[in-house]
Amino acid sequence: MALAIILTSCGNSSTGRKGAYTVDELWLRNGSNRIFGILYRPEGVKKAPLVIVSHGYGGSHQAGKAYAEALAPLGYAVYCYDFCGGSNDSRSDGETTGMSIFSEAQDLKSVMDALSKEDYIDKEHITLIGESQGGMVSSLVAAERGSAIERLVLIYPALCIKDDWVGMYPALSDMPKELDFWGLKLSHAYLEGLYDLDVYPTISQYEGPVSIYHGDKDQVVNLSYSERAKEAYRNATLTVLPGEGHGFSAKAQQEVIAAICQSLKGK
């Protein structure tokens, strides 16, 4: 069973104010690894729909802050967390050399399982938001969990990971046992499983609504990967943001967040 421990109340908690929410540190578990995150919990809501925000490669729970601050006042419980070994700044357990999209998928499933048991969470209404590598991970989990996920939101999802890495290392033995990539030390664990992954047939097993947001100037993940995803999913929309790259400008991020809020309210 996943362990949940609230350590610190650290923010907005104006009791009685419409749209008020609390901000608490919340530790969960994936097996022996502890997962650190921040829970934004709306006040006065007995059963809150849940939004889980998954960060990209080398990121942290901070990536979800803007989403949480917009959604919590609308009555959503939002959990932003650090993947185990997900970055050098991660407060969760684990080393970057043990991290992969598959280990991160297990982290996300553990988060879902733990929070779904909480009596203040409406487990019938769970949305996953994933940025970049977190988008790839969220896609894999949605495909596996199916109808347990009400909606999937992908922000410039890194559906290119297999193509990029298998292109560099056609066989696992071609990759050094350890290497530094974009500031993180990785090992063979990052590639294990990628060779057998058929990305689009796998992620398209999810049949719920999917919202994809991608910039047309993305130099890390080509827009074509999201265009193909739109066609692979049964119920997907793709919003292309002109001039935006991998990591949106403040203006574009606010536009995307407003669109997400509107789509969730209109579900």
Side-chain angles (χ1 to χ4, degrees):
M1 178 181 294
L3 176 65
I5 309 172
I6 293 181
L7 296 179
T8 310
S9 181
C10 50
N12 187 332
S13 59
S14 301
T15 303
R17 181 169 59 83
K18 184 177 181 180
Y21 58 92
T22 58
V23 183
D24 298 300
E25 293 185 356
L26 179 65
W27 289 85
L28 306 174
R29 280 194 181 276
N30 175 9
S32 61
N33 280 337
R34 299 176 305 156
I35 298 173
F36 171 81
I38 303 291
L39 176 68
Y40 296 74
R41 181 179 172 184
E43 293 189 346
V45 180
K46 290 184 178 180
K47 287 281 189 179
L50 174 64
V51 177
I52 304 173
V53 186
S54 297
H55 65 77
Y57 180 92
S60 75
H61 64 278
Q62 291 290 342
K65 183 178 180 181
Y67 302 102
E69 290 179 341
L71 288 166
L74 300 179
Y76 292 88
V78 186
Y79 189 65
C80 313
Y81 65 107
D82 293 344
F83 282 119
C84 293
S87 75
N88 296 323
D89 297 323
S90 175
R91 291 180 61 183
S92 297
D93 291 343
E95 302 296 329
T96 60
T97 49
M99 179 269 292
S100 71
I101 60 172
F102 304 107
S103 71
E104 292 190 341
Q106 189 56 55
D107 288 341
L108 176 51
K109 287 185 288 186
S110 296
V111 166
M112 278 185 60
D113 291 342
L115 292 176
S116 294
K117 293 185 176 77
E118 298 293 336
D119 58 9
Y120 57 84
I121 294 296
D122 183 352
K123 66 180 181 180
E124 301 300 320
H125 299 287
I126 298 176
T127 295
L128 303 183
I129 298 178
E131 289 189 343
S132 193
Q133 180 165 300
M136 175 65 149
V137 170
S138 297
S139 296
L140 294 176
V141 171
E144 181 177 340
R145 291 296 177 92
S147 61
I149 309 300
E150 184 175 33
R151 180 178 292 271
L152 178 63
V153 180
L154 305 176
I155 313 296
Y156 37 82
L159 302 174
C160 59
I161 287 175
K162 177 181 177 175
D163 287 350
D164 289 352
W165 284 88
V166 173
M168 287 189 290
Y169 304 109
L172 186 61
S173 58
D174 295 326
M175 178 185 174
K177 289 185 177 180
E178 289 190 358
L179 60 80
D180 288 320
F181 184 77
W182 289 2
L184 298 187
K185 183 176 288 186
L186 304 179
S187 76
H188 279 186
Y190 192 80
L191 264 71
E192 290 172 351
L194 277 183
Y195 296 96
D196 297 324
L197 177 63
D198 201 347
V199 175
Y200 290 97
T202 297
I203 66 173
S204 65
Q205 293 174 43
Y206 177 67
E207 299 182 0
V210 183
S211 300
I212 309 170
Y213 300 90
H214 207 129
D216 65 359
K217 301 300 182 184
D218 194 324
Q219 299 299 308
V220 176
V221 181
N222 191 277
L223 174 60
S224 62
Y225 282 92
S226 284
E227 291 173 333
R228 186 175 174 188
K230 179 182 180 297
E231 298 306 314
Y233 282 117
R234 292 166 175 77
N235 182 14
T237 60
L238 169 61
T239 300
V240 178
L241 288 88
E244 294 294 327
H246 200 74
F248 294 150
S249 65
K251 180 176 182 292
Q253 185 184 43
Q254 287 306 310
E255 291 174 354
V256 168
I257 290 172
I260 293 170
C261 291
Q262 187 61 39
S263 66
L264 289 181
K265 287 192 297 182
K267 63 176 182 273

